[in-house]
Amino acid sequence: MRTLRQKLAGPGIVVAPGCHDALGARILEQAGFEAVYMTGNGLSAAMLGAPDLGLLTLTEMASRARAIAGSISVPLIADADTGYGNLNNVARTIAEYEAAGVAALHLEDQVTPKKCGAMSGLSLVSTEEHAEKIRHAVKTRRDPDLLIIGRTDSRLVLGLDEAIARGQAYAKAGADLVLIEMLQSEEEMRLAVRSIDAPLMFNSVDGRTPALDAATFESIGFKLLAFPLSSTLAYARLMQRFASDLKQNGSTAAWAEALLPIHDYEGVLGLSRYA
């Protein structure tokens, strides 16, 4: 299997839809995607039924990363929040995510505890403080194929110029890719790609970033594209409809065509591989 680093070194863009569990990851792999993204927002919803406010711990995130990575053969890209503390915490985050089998992780420049990057009221650490985290993450990784993604959430807080400046600083600090969260137009995206001396990742967040397709993101120059929350939003909407219908009718008969047949479900899980 080619590493994610090798995939990104080739032509085109790698698309990594987000998921919050191993079942979703297996379905995405079986659909033909080359990589999968582990969403912190989705994990907070799935594990706690709570918003993404930095409530999950490193051990909880790494444990879920291990389960997801172990269920698929394609690379897993994982949200690692702020690294869960200072430089010592960042080093442990790298070790735990490496042991979990993660192919790439991103560290964001918010204060701890963080918020979802699409929320208002974000607070950021200094550029140099986060650049030092990136340098330390690169220094302490043992697997040279583990990709460190320097993420900045400064676009909505401090503006585009500052976001690009931070992206440049994180690239200079050794980040393998740079992620500027919440770019608001194609023009902003193209400027970021031109201005930063590193491959760029983009998080396409439904309702908060331009609704472009993968081919357009590729033409702009992005190398890695994630749809971090889309599958969790789809799951939540489907569950709302399912719960409402079951409560009203007392039966799942109306869902006969919509439900995955048990045999197909067992196929997704690879039942035939087990004794």
Side-chain angles (χ1 to χ4, degrees):
M1 181 188 74
R2 288 191 304 155
T3 65
L4 181 60
R5 185 182 294 279
Q6 290 171 328
K7 291 178 185 289
L8 293 171
I13 189 171
V14 174
V15 180
C19 66
H20 58 254
D21 59 18
L23 174 60
R26 286 184 66 85
I27 291 171
L28 291 171
E29 179 182 23
Q30 290 165 12
F33 288 101
E34 293 185 273
V36 171
Y37 176 84
M38 186 184 84
T39 160
N41 189 310
L43 258 64
S44 189
M47 296 175 67
L48 304 177
D52 185 13
L53 297 172
L55 301 174
L56 289 173
T57 64
L58 165 60
T59 50
E60 288 173 316
M61 292 285 284
S63 175
R64 184 58 69 99
R66 183 185 299 274
I68 294 175
S71 73
I72 56 178
S73 59
V74 296
L76 178 66
I77 300 136
D79 185 347
D81 294 329
T82 63
Y84 308 99
N86 63 17
L87 296 183
N88 294 325
N89 301 99
V90 168
R92 185 177 176 219
T93 297
I94 299 302
E96 294 290 338
Y97 274 57
E98 275 189 321
V102 167
L105 60 88
H106 61 70
L107 298 168
E108 60 202 59
D109 55 5
Q110 291 189 46
V111 300
T112 302
K114 50 69 61 88
K115 293 182 178 181
C116 169
M119 293 180 178
S120 60
L122 304 182
S123 297
L124 307 179
V125 299
S126 70
T127 302
E128 181 49 42
E129 180 177 339
H130 193 62
E132 185 59 29
K133 283 187 176 182
I134 299 296
R135 283 190 286 269
H136 200 61
V138 171
K139 177 183 176 181
T140 56
R141 66 182 170 191
R142 295 184 177 181
D143 182 358
D145 282 327
L146 175 69
L147 300 179
I148 307 300
I149 304 168
R151 168 174 159 171
T152 180
D153 287 278
S154 57
R155 168 61 188 89
L156 297 183
V157 182
L158 301 174
L160 179 62
D161 290 345
E162 175 65 16
I164 290 176
R166 285 181 175 237
Q168 292 168 333
Y170 305 158
K172 187 176 181 180
D176 299 292
L177 294 97
V178 169
L179 166 58
I180 300 181
E181 193 78 341
M182 294 292 127
L183 292 171
Q184 295 296 292
S185 68
E186 286 190 51
E187 291 73 19
E188 291 190 3
M189 297 174 198
R190 293 184 186 279
L191 179 59
V193 169
R194 290 197 305 269
S195 302
I196 297 173
D197 188 21
L200 261 65
M201 173 183 176
F202 191 82
N203 269 350
S204 182
V205 181
D206 304 270
R208 298 305 304 271
T209 60
L212 309 177
D213 60 21
T216 303
F217 283 112
E218 181 179 351
S219 71
I220 291 170
F222 289 101
K223 292 298 296 181
L224 180 59
L225 171 63
F227 294 85
L229 198 54
S230 303
S231 69
T232 302
L233 296 176
Y235 168 82
R237 173 57 64 86
L238 185 64
M239 279 297 295
Q240 283 183 333
R241 291 174 175 170
F242 175 81
S244 177
D245 189 75
L246 180 58
K247 175 64 175 175
Q248 181 176 349
N249 298 314
S251 168
T252 61
W255 287 74
E257 295 296 322
L259 297 181
L260 186 67
I262 289 291
H263 181 269
D264 294 344
Y265 169 71
E266 292 172 344
V268 170
L269 300 178
L271 178 61
S272 62
R273 297 187 294 109
Y274 293 84

